[in-house]
Amino acid sequence: MSESAPLPGGSLPVHEWDEALTALDASEEYARARDAQALLDRLDAALADL
């Protein structure tokens, strides 16, 4: 019997939860990196104006 977690309307196997959470972590990390790069770009532009 496969381990699964409850979802509304059904269940999802644990390995699929792991894959989904890994993808979510990666997308959050990408968003943080994108935000950091945007901040660096703004700082670079501000320094260029000095």
Side-chain angles (χ1 to χ4, degrees):
M1 182 181 201
S2 175
E3 211 178 328
S4 61
L7 279 178
S11 63
L12 189 66
V14 170
H15 75 274
E16 289 185 26
W17 271 110
D18 289 342
E19 290 171 9
L21 291 173
T22 298
L24 179 61
D25 287 345
S27 67
E28 289 174 348
E29 184 175 334
Y30 173 78
R32 283 191 299 273
R34 185 190 60 221
D35 293 346
Q37 185 62 53
L39 179 58
L40 289 173
D41 291 344
R42 287 175 55 201
L43 289 171
D44 191 39
L47 288 173
D49 290 340
L50 291 178

